[in-house]
Amino acid sequence: DVKVTQSSRYLVKRTGEKVFLECVQDMDHENMFWYRQDPGLGLRLIYFSYDVKMKEKGDIPEGYSVSREKKERFSLILESASTNQTSMYLCASSWGNQPQHFGDGTRLSIL
Amino acid sequence: SQKIEQNSEALNIQEGKTATLTCNYTNYSPAYLQWYRQDPGRGPVFLLLIRENEKEKRKERLKVTFDTTLKQSLFHITASQPADSATYLCASDGQNFVFGPGTRLSVLP
């Protein structure tokens, strides 16, 4: 069974801090994704990656960056956290056009 | 831009009845649609995929249809149970992979 692991379930940070969210998958999937989920807005794609060191902007990349140095790991970085980045962050992975496998999310609060 | 709408934010039905959830897409023609289930505090879990050339797909008590004329997919749960209570998300390919906002289904005993 595919396992996607996000490093933290809950995280509280201060405005202006640099925040790292980590995601690891164990199935050698080429694709990895970062979403945020907000009530009434659903899942919105922040960034995705089709291969090591490759990254593509999603629908809402502003204020975020990503890093994929190894195939199994995809990191989301909030360069200078702001209160409007308080949200649930979900990581997913997939192979080709196959369905995505999700982690259980990180609920991030920016104070 | 491509858009997916799920026209019910919440749906309550009685146990044993069939639940029908709707997904509508606009401004593009997806090659496939996917349906996911999400429980509170968990990530979405894939349920079914239907391609544009397929009219219907079934898996146990689940059935999904794809109508390219109406630009719509319907997701049915027959003989619903309280354990089916969850949020159901529709998703599709396109310029970017897109999710709908979800429908929160409550099956009442």
Side-chain angles (χ1 to χ4, degrees):
Chain A
D1 232 11
V2 177
K3 192 163 177 64
V4 178
T5 303
Q6 294 185 230
S7 53
S8 305
R9 291 300 304 273
Y10 301 94
L11 204 54
V12 179
K13 296 291 182 181
R14 298 257 177 220
T15 55
E17 280 193 70
K18 190 169 186 176
V19 181
F20 293 85
L21 302 183
E22 306 286 345
C23 175
V24 177
Q25 50 96 2
D26 66 357
M27 281 302 290
D28 203 36
H29 283 169
E30 57 198 23
N31 305 322
M32 295 189 76
F33 306 82
W34 274 107
Y35 296 88
R36 63 177 283 176
Q37 187 173 32
D38 301 287
L41 297 176
L43 281 160
R44 292 182 291 166
L45 182 63
I46 305 171
Y47 268 97
F48 58 101
S49 169
Y50 288 142
D51 202 351
V52 176
K53 298 193 188 293
M54 303 290 288
K55 60 184 179 184
E56 298 286 341
K57 292 180 180 179
D59 298 316
I60 53 164
E62 296 78 19
Y64 303 94
S65 63
V66 290
S67 172
R68 193 165 180 202
E69 295 296 319
K70 294 184 178 181
K71 194 173 186 180
E72 68 270 18
R73 186 180 297 270
F74 193 33
S75 303
L76 179 70
I77 303 152
L78 285 65
E79 297 291 344
S80 177
S82 63
T83 54
N84 63 11
Q85 292 178 310
T86 291
S87 186
M88 168 71 89
Y89 289 87
L90 287 157
C91 174
S93 73
S94 72
W95 184 87
N97 284 329
Q98 297 301 304
Q100 296 179 27
H101 297 263
F102 284 83
D104 280 336
T106 295
R107 188 166 293 282
L108 175 65
S109 296
I110 307 295
L111 305 179
Chain B
S1 61
Q2 62 190 80
K3 192 174 180 183
I4 282 189
E5 293 174 329
Q6 293 183 249
N7 60 359
S8 295
E9 186 175 332
L11 181 64
N12 295 331
I13 64 165
Q14 212 64 41
E15 182 177 5
K17 301 291 186 185
T18 296
T20 299
L21 285 64
T22 305
C23 173
N24 294 286
Y25 57 92
T26 55
N27 299 328
Y28 73 116
S29 298
Y32 58 83
L33 290 166
Q34 299 179 7
W35 285 88
Y36 290 76
R37 170 184 171 138
Q38 186 175 22
D39 292 289
R42 308 298 300 272
V45 175
F46 170 74
L47 295 174
L48 279 169
L49 179 151
I50 185 166
R51 302 185 192 284
E52 61 177 337
N53 60 349
E54 297 174 318
K55 295 292 185 192
E56 183 180 295
K57 210 74 169 289
R58 290 177 185 263
K59 179 182 175 183
E60 296 172 353
R61 293 184 296 111
L62 309 180
K63 183 179 86 171
V64 62
T65 62
F66 194 171
D67 188 326
T68 55
T69 302
L70 293 178
K71 294 183 177 289
Q72 182 179 84
S73 175
L74 298 179
F75 178 81
H76 305 273
I77 306 175
T78 58
S80 59
Q81 304 165 0
D84 295 325
S85 298
T87 296
Y88 292 86
L89 305 171
C90 173
S92 81
D93 65 317
Q95 184 179 358
N96 284 332
F97 199 75
V98 176
F99 279 85
T103 296
R104 188 173 65 252
L105 175 67
S106 297
V107 180
L108 308 173

